Structures are given as structure tokens and as C-alpha cells.
Amino acid sequence: MYEVISHCNKSKWQDKLNQFIKKDIYYNHSFSTLYKNIENGDPYLFYFENEHGKKICYVFFKRKLNILPFKNNTSTCKLYDITTPPFGYGGPLFDREDADLVNQFRKAFNQYCLEENIISEFIKFHPLLQNHRYMENLMEISYDRETIFIDLTIPEKRIFEQYHKNHKRNIKKAIKNQLIFKVFKNEKMYDQLHEFTKLYKATMDKVNASQKSYYSMDYFKKLIRGFTNKAIIGAVLHEEKMISAAICMYEGTTLHYHLGCSDKQFLNLGSNTFLFHNLSLWGRSNGLDAFYLGGGHSALHNGGTIERDSLFQFKYRFNQHGVLKFYIGRKIHNPIQYELLVNQWENYYSEKPNPNFFPLYRNKCNVYNSSNHTKLG
């Protein structure tokens, strides 16, 4: 038995999630609807329950294909593809690992996709849940990159001891320079939005970020409204001025780093390292088990080698034992329509699509692919 719940029915969505012991922010209704307008798709929760009462849920974005530039908009056949929510992780959520349950879920979901004219499916599996397991025989699974988490179940002293010597030195430097760490929650986050947004924009300018990485004040306000008691702004202050900050979200046992920014003039004071260190301590003192930092910009290269870029190295130095592998999944539900769309794309652009993209027909169409699928890093 399965049920597909629209984002329009928030209470039912959350009621289904509340039946699970495991919790994670990326399955939350508010997280999916946060990106509804950005992704040009509609979020849904697929809820499956077998005859023994065992349950699985799966969040996905359903996107129209008729609006692609090369697609004939007058076609009477409405086609779709699906993906996990933007800038987050997903895949099936279940309380206990059960291969038979996953097989039953996928059989029901595949049938749903055929009935709904869903051509392809792309999943960014959850590194902490490692929920790509049991899916290898059900879709194409590939390893993408390394990510990092900090274990918050160990004593505070041990958290600090496992840092790289450079991070330890920067934290001591930040303390010597009298940097102050503060956490702002709920309504108090609104008071910091102007400074955070200004600092965030300057950071995006500094790294020559893509346009999609620039978020408006409205986005941040919507985030705060949707995540009451589930989000914080952690900020480092120097002489009462915000010089480094991050928005983090949490549910269940995990604190997730979401978006961060810093003033480059003060990086020599150790502000960024001080920020992440204190966010870890805040998470631990609030009963959370893990602080998930994400990965770097570099993904798996052809030939199977991984480049550990500077962003990854920064995170890795917080916990060299906290490497989590990140996997992606690809499924073509309708091969005939898929090839037709690829051919239409090639005729429209007079070239071959980048083979690293999936689905191929969304190349140049504001899509996910194995090299730029996430902003979590």
C-alpha cells in the first residue's frame, strides 16, 4: 500500500513522518517547500507500508518536461522527471534495514512512475543514513565524493583533540583575539538577517559563485518561518561586528551545516575555525549526536581518483575519522521516451550532451549532475 502526499497537505506529510523513529531535516515538509519556486517542481512524499506494517518514505520533486526549451509545449502527453530536493540529501527513509521492504517499496514506486509518465529519477543519497544500500540492484548507484561529520557523542575534550594542529592553533588565536561566539534562534534570527545577508553576498562575490548561490532576504525569512526550533544562526563577533556566520538546521540527532559566510579581512584571526568548533559544542550541549559539514567542491574523477580541495581539507581537519561516502542514484523509467528526449536535445543544440550529466536532456537546462549537484559544501 502506498500514498503520494502533495506539499499542499503539510499536516498529513508531517503526520506520516512522525511515524518514523529516525528523523532528519531533509525529509521535513518545510525543507522541500523552501525550494519549490527555485526548482520549478512540486515536492511530494511517497509513503509506503507493507502488509506487516513496515514503512518507508521518500521525498521527491516532480518536474514538468514540457517546459524544456527544445520540447514541444503543445504536446498532449505530459512528461515528468524527478529528483531529490535541491541542496539536500534524500533517498528512502526507514527505521530498520530490510532488503525485502526496500524491494517492495521500489516495485510500487516504479509502477507509480510508469503511471505518471515519469521518465527518469535522480537521487542524492543521505551520507549519514547510507541509504543507498539495498538499492544497488534496483537502480544505477555510483560513488560521488567524500563528506565529513563531527562526532558529538564523545567528550568535548576529545572533539578538540581530534582537530588538526592548525585548527587547534586557530581556535587559540581566536580566543586570544577575544572573538565572541553567539547563537541566535527563532525570532532573534530576524534581527541578524541584514548583517548575515550582507556578509553572505560579499562571500559569494569573493568566490565568484553562480547566480543560484545568491539567496534573497525573502529566502532567509522563509527559512526562519519554516524552521521554528529547527534552525540557528551561529555567529562570530569581533568588537560586536559579525565576521563569520552560518545557518544550520537540525532535526532528530543531527546538526546540518547549511549556508555560511565570512569577512575575508578577519580570516587571519581564526574566525571560521572558531565558528565550526563552537557550533559543534553547541550541538553537543543540545543533545545532538553529529554535526554534518558536507564535502568539498571536487567530485569523483574519471579513473576513480578524488581531489581533496581546500574546502574539503578545511572540514577534514575537524575529524579525520569522520569521512562519509556520498552516493548518487540514477534510474530511467521510460527508456524509449528518454532516448527521444535526448535526440530532441541534440537536434536543438546541434551537439552531444555532456555524458556526466543526468538526465542527459537537462544538460544546459539548470540541472543536477555528478559534478555540481549540491551546494551543501
Side-chain angles (χ1 to χ4, degrees):
M1 182 275 293
Y2 73 81
E3 191 172 358
V4 182
I5 303 164
S6 165
H7 66 95
C8 298
N9 195 339
K10 179 179 180 179
S11 60
K12 192 171 189 179
W13 181 308
Q14 291 301 129
D15 285 345
K16 293 297 185 184
L17 285 184
N18 289 337
Q19 297 181 30
F20 292 81
I21 298 172
K22 289 185 178 179
K23 308 289 183 184
D24 191 85
I25 200 70
Y26 294 131
Y27 296 85
N28 191 289
H29 176 272
S30 294
F31 185 82
S32 291
T33 55
L34 190 62
Y35 297 100
K36 182 180 182 301
N37 295 330
I38 296 175
E39 182 52 28
N40 294 319
D42 293 319
Y44 291 88
L45 177 72
F46 188 92
Y47 174 85
F48 175 83
E49 184 172 344
N50 69 10
E51 66 274 17
H52 304 295
K54 296 179 179 179
K55 304 177 286 291
I56 280 182
C57 72
Y58 173 48
V59 178
F60 64 91
F61 263 68
K62 185 177 178 182
R63 308 180 294 185
K64 294 180 181 179
L65 294 179
N66 301 70
I67 63 173
L68 295 174
F70 58 86
K71 194 77 183 74
N72 185 353
N73 294 332
T74 62
S75 172
T76 57
C77 180
K78 293 183 179 180
L79 305 177
Y80 305 90
D81 63 11
I82 59 177
T83 181
T84 39
F87 317 135
Y89 298 112
L93 177 69
F94 43 86
D95 286 329
R96 295 176 181 85
E97 296 184 2
D98 187 326
D100 289 337
L101 176 64
V102 175
N103 286 332
Q104 292 168 3
F105 151 69
R106 284 305 298 187
K107 183 177 179 180
F109 189 74
N110 290 344
Q111 184 60 39
Y112 164 78
C113 289
L114 292 176
E115 293 172 356
E116 291 294 311
N117 290 322
I118 292 170
I119 308 305
S120 68
E121 174 185 10
F122 179 69
I123 301 178
K124 294 173 293 170
F125 289 103
H126 202 303
L128 278 167
L129 299 178
Q130 292 289 292
N131 53 354
H132 66 284
R133 293 176 293 186
Y134 301 120
M135 298 280 281
E136 285 89 349
N137 297 325
L138 303 174
M139 66 193 314
E140 179 188 345
I141 306 292
S142 57
Y143 171 48
D144 188 87
R145 69 184 68 195
E146 298 172 307
T147 66
I148 295 293
F149 84 102
I150 299 175
D151 184 359
L152 304 182
T153 64
I154 62 178
E156 180 179 323
K157 181 180 179 181
R158 282 189 59 199
I159 292 177
F160 183 81
E161 286 175 347
Q162 69 187 6
Y163 294 166
H164 187 276
K165 61 181 180 180
N166 289 350
H167 277 4
K168 293 177 182 177
R169 183 166 56 248
N170 279 327
I171 291 169
K172 293 175 181 178
K173 184 190 298 183
I175 295 172
K176 182 179 179 180
N177 283 287
Q178 299 182 322
L179 301 190
I180 302 297
F181 173 77
K182 288 188 176 181
V183 168
F184 304 93
K185 295 180 63 178
N186 302 329
E187 294 298 322
K188 292 183 179 179
M189 292 177 70
Y190 285 106
D191 299 334
Q192 305 302 316
L193 272 187
H194 176 73
E195 284 303 311
F196 182 89
T197 306
K198 184 172 68 174
L199 187 57
Y200 181 78
K201 181 181 182 302
T203 303
M204 294 303 99
D205 290 342
K206 179 183 67 177
V207 299
N208 296 315
S210 65
Q211 195 58 42
K212 285 187 70 173
S213 298
Y214 286 81
Y215 295 101
S216 66
M217 179 72 77
D218 288 340
Y219 168 87
F220 292 119
K221 288 181 178 179
K222 185 178 179 182
L223 188 154
I224 295 172
R225 287 196 302 270
F227 294 94
T228 303
N229 293 321
K230 295 179 185 294
I232 61 170
I233 291 179
V236 174
L237 309 180
H238 177 256
E239 296 179 352
E240 301 186 356
K241 176 185 178 181
M242 182 186 293
I243 62 171
S244 183
I247 291 180
C248 296
M249 299 181 291
Y250 56 97
E251 189 168 27
T253 61
T254 304
L255 178 67
H256 288 279
Y257 170 75
H258 183 52
L259 294 171
C261 50
S262 59
D263 190 328
K264 62 181 181 181
Q265 296 182 47
F266 297 95
L267 292 178
N268 64 321
L269 301 184
S271 56
N272 279 353
T273 310
F274 190 64
L275 172 67
F276 278 74
H277 170 62
N278 280 283
L279 284 168
S280 298
L281 300 187
W282 182 89
R284 185 181 183 281
S285 65
N286 281 271
L288 301 175
D289 292 342
F291 181 22
Y292 183 72
L293 308 183
H297 295 303
S298 299
L300 188 68
H301 293 284
N302 292 333
T305 60
I306 294 179
E307 176 187 341
R308 288 181 164 180
D309 61 15
S310 59
L311 178 59
F312 178 85
Q313 291 287 2
F314 172 76
K315 297 174 180 179
Y316 180 65
R317 288 176 173 179
F318 282 102
N319 183 12
Q320 297 181 37
H321 305 290
V323 176
L324 294 170
K325 292 183 176 181
F326 166 52
Y327 294 83
I328 59 175
R330 304 173 180 182
K331 175 78 173 180
I332 298 174
H333 290 279
N334 190 325
I336 295 176
Q337 281 287 355
Y338 184 86
E339 289 302 319
L340 179 61
L341 287 167
V342 174
N343 289 335
Q344 290 175 336
W345 188 97
E346 291 175 348
N347 291 333
Y348 183 84
Y349 289 104
S350 299
E351 61 179 286
K352 294 287 185 180
N354 183 337
N356 290 325
F357 273 77
F358 185 85
L360 288 174
Y361 56 76
R362 280 190 176 269
N363 195 182
K364 297 187 177 182
C365 300
N366 197 21
V367 302
Y368 296 112
N369 61 73
S370 61
S371 62
N372 72 349
H373 51 74
T374 177
K375 298 297 180 186
L376 291 176

